[in-house]
Amino acid sequence: MNSFISTHGGNLNYEAERLGCKVDQLLDASASLVPFDLNRSLKKCLIRALHGSALRNYPDRQHQQFREVIGYWHQIDSSMVLPGNGASELITWAARDASVAGLSTLPVPGFGDYQRALLCWDADFVQKQLPLSWTSHAPQPFPISQDSEVLWITNPHNPTGQLWSRDSLEPLLNSYELVICDEAFLPLVPDGEKQSLIPLVADHPNLIVIRSLTKLFALAGLRLGYAITSPERLERWYRWRDPWPVNGLALAAGINLMTDGIALERWINRVQEWVKIEGKWLHAELNELPGITPFPSAVNFLLIHGDTSLLTLREQMSQKLILLRDCRSFVGLGDSWLRIGLQQRSGNRRILEELGQCLVKSN
Ligand SMILES: Cc1ncc(COP(=O)(O)O)c(C=O)c1O
């Protein structure tokens, strides 16, 4: 259990027990979820689903309606869509295919779940270091060139928040046997959809794009994501996985959220506006604090780098019930880095004030 705890943010029960507080007293900036209240129409939909048959009956194994609304939203055929129990479940199946295709390249520092999934299937992988300095220019060219059969891309990248340009990613589809592009955070990035690889899937059977609904709608507890790739690949995954990986409530929620295009666009615009305004503001304010350097990010989290170890600072913040992401589990980062998940203005102010007090005392 402890190794799990150290490789993910958002371990609220563990931290609350450790700190002797209730979960809802914590300001969690260690996971990167949208901080808005649950979508109102979703709340109604979940209540309807609870009173209806979503719990009593087995969920639709074909996920027909969900696949159709996602297909319509992305303007692709629904046979290229498969929902999963969060993006993480689909990452496991993508890793199964990667294990057969050959050696995987994992850019580091990067999201640790790819390694977890590859290890599940005894797959071979190498870690390729990304440059640890970057500008605020977005999108940026992807800096890794081909040296293996499989490439894992995270766009925007976690934990750096860099947005990779589609122009730099597209040629890679001609040289790799398999490209897995995790776009879990892309809908949160202002103007980010222009860099999506989804429009390329129909012509590239060697491409898997993975999306998550848990970030965009702050539904991490519900577990819902989807993969977009060739129908033949999805048929295979369908045969391998357990019969009902996506529960009835998650399916009902996904259909509700993705069907009303106008409401969806309104939500996405609100989220992207928040990322644009708060991201810029928090970065500028952090820049004024002594002893740390904030890094530019296109999305709703950013990295800070300390002149020395930031572990004491992280613990001091935890004692004030503010959780920041320990970055030691990201290969190549270590104890002088922390990741901060963006909040609404009041939460960001609280983070800044407490960080400022701790840093002024220690500098
Ligand atoms: C880059 C990235 N992809 C995927 C996931 C997992 O998403 P889900 O909650 O849909 O399983 C995460 C979770 O932190 C993530 O950071």
Side-chain angles (χ1 to χ4, degrees), residues 20-85:
C21 68
K22 294 195 178 121
V23 163
D24 56 15
Q25 288 177 283
L26 293 168
L27 192 167
D28 182 23
S30 69
S32 304
L33 302 170
V34 168
F36 303 153
D37 286 342
L38 200 63
N39 189 297
R40 228 177 302 143
S41 122
L42 174 63
K43 242 186 236 173
K44 281 193 201 149
C45 153
L46 287 174
I47 291 167
R48 261 197 320 273
L50 273 177
H51 291 297
S53 54
L55 288 187
R56 190 173 58 86
N57 294 345
Y58 281 107
D60 172 19
R61 282 203 66 197
Q62 304 299 323
H63 316 115
Q64 191 62 31
Q65 215 184 334
F66 180 84
R67 288 171 36 232
E68 276 169 15
V69 295
I70 296 294
Y72 186 76
W73 176 248
H74 290 296
Q75 294 296 290
I76 53 170
D77 197 277
S78 62
S79 62
M80 297 197 299
V81 179
L82 187 76
N85 187 29

Side-chain angles (χ1 to χ4, degrees), residues 89-161:
E89 191 227 350
L90 300 161
I91 287 169
T92 304
W93 296 116
R96 167 74 169 76
D97 283 0
S99 72
V100 175
L103 182 68
S104 276
T105 293
L106 297 181
V108 292
F111 181 46
D113 212 42
Y114 311 143
Q115 187 168 326
R116 187 265 318 153
L118 288 166
L119 288 172
C120 246
W121 306 109
D122 282 334
D124 295 325
F125 62 89
V126 287
Q127 297 176 322
K128 255 299 184 56
Q129 183 70 45
L130 291 168
L132 277 186
S133 71
W134 59 93
T135 66
S136 59
H137 183 78
Q140 313 186 356
F142 187 68
I144 290 178
S145 51
Q146 206 224 330
D147 59 358
S148 66
E149 285 80 31
V150 185
L151 177 63
W152 292 73
I153 300 164
T154 318
N155 203 19
H157 195 71
N158 180 4
T160 63

Side-chain angles (χ1 to χ4, degrees), residues 28-295:
D28 182 23
S30 69
S32 304
L33 302 170
V34 168
F36 303 153
D37 286 342
L38 200 63
N39 189 297
R40 228 177 302 143
S41 122
L42 174 63
K43 242 186 236 173
K44 281 193 201 149
C45 153
L46 287 174
I47 291 167
R48 261 197 320 273
L50 273 177
H51 291 297
S53 54
L55 288 187
R56 190 173 58 86
N57 294 345
Y58 281 107
D60 172 19
R61 282 203 66 197
Q62 304 299 323
H63 316 115
Q64 191 62 31
Q65 215 184 334
F66 180 84
R67 288 171 36 232
E68 276 169 15
V69 295
I70 296 294
Y72 186 76
W73 176 248
H74 290 296
Q75 294 296 290
I76 53 170
D77 197 277
S78 62
S79 62
M80 297 197 299
V81 179
L82 187 76
N85 187 29
S88 304
E89 191 227 350
L90 300 161
I91 287 169
T92 304
W93 296 116
R96 167 74 169 76
D97 283 0
S99 72
V100 175
L103 182 68
S104 276
T105 293
L106 297 181
V108 292
F111 181 46
D113 212 42
Y114 311 143
Q115 187 168 326
R116 187 265 318 153
L118 288 166
L119 288 172
C120 246
W121 306 109
D122 282 334
D124 295 325
F125 62 89
V126 287
Q127 297 176 322
K128 255 299 184 56
Q129 183 70 45
L130 291 168
L132 277 186
S133 71
W134 59 93
T135 66
S136 59
H137 183 78
Q140 313 186 356
F142 187 68
I144 290 178
S145 51
Q146 206 224 330
D147 59 358
S148 66
E149 285 80 31
V150 185
L151 177 63
W152 292 73
I153 300 164
T154 318
N155 203 19
H157 195 71
N158 180 4
T160 63
Q162 287 163 285
L163 178 68
W164 308 123
S165 71
R166 175 153 79 198
D167 284 352
S168 67
L169 298 177
E170 190 169 352
L172 301 173
L173 298 173
N174 299 324
S175 46
Y176 282 90
E177 191 104 345
L178 179 63
V179 173
I180 299 152
C181 187
D182 176 351
E183 297 185 352
F185 284 98
L186 197 57
L188 284 74
V189 176
D191 236 8
E193 288 293 342
K194 286 185 191 150
Q195 312 311 325
S196 173
L197 296 192
I198 290 175
L200 307 180
V201 171
D203 291 332
H204 295 87
N206 62 334
L207 171 61
I208 301 169
V209 177
I210 293 176
R211 289 271 176 136
S212 169
L213 294 184
T214 72
K215 318 289 179 197
L216 179 61
F217 297 105
L219 291 175
L222 197 62
R223 315 303 304 133
L224 188 60
Y226 52 95
I228 297 182
T229 186
S230 78
E232 293 71 29
R233 186 185 304 284
L234 293 181
E235 298 238 333
R236 259 186 296 129
W237 293 8
Y238 182 81
R239 283 198 301 273
W240 290 332
R241 71 202 309 218
D242 75 74
W244 300 282
V246 185
N247 70 71
L249 285 182
L251 273 182
I255 292 164
N256 173 271
L257 289 167
M258 302 303 287
T259 299
D260 182 348
I262 295 175
L264 181 53
E265 270 191 33
R266 213 182 300 130
W267 179 269
I268 290 176
N269 286 341
R270 182 177 170 213
V271 168
Q272 294 189 359
E273 200 57 18
W274 159 72
V275 168
K276 196 162 30 177
I277 293 170
E278 286 305 309
K280 202 167 161 199
W281 185 78
L282 184 66
H283 183 269
E285 296 288 319
L286 287 166
N287 227 354
E288 300 299 315
L289 297 181
I292 58 164
T293 307
F295 277 65

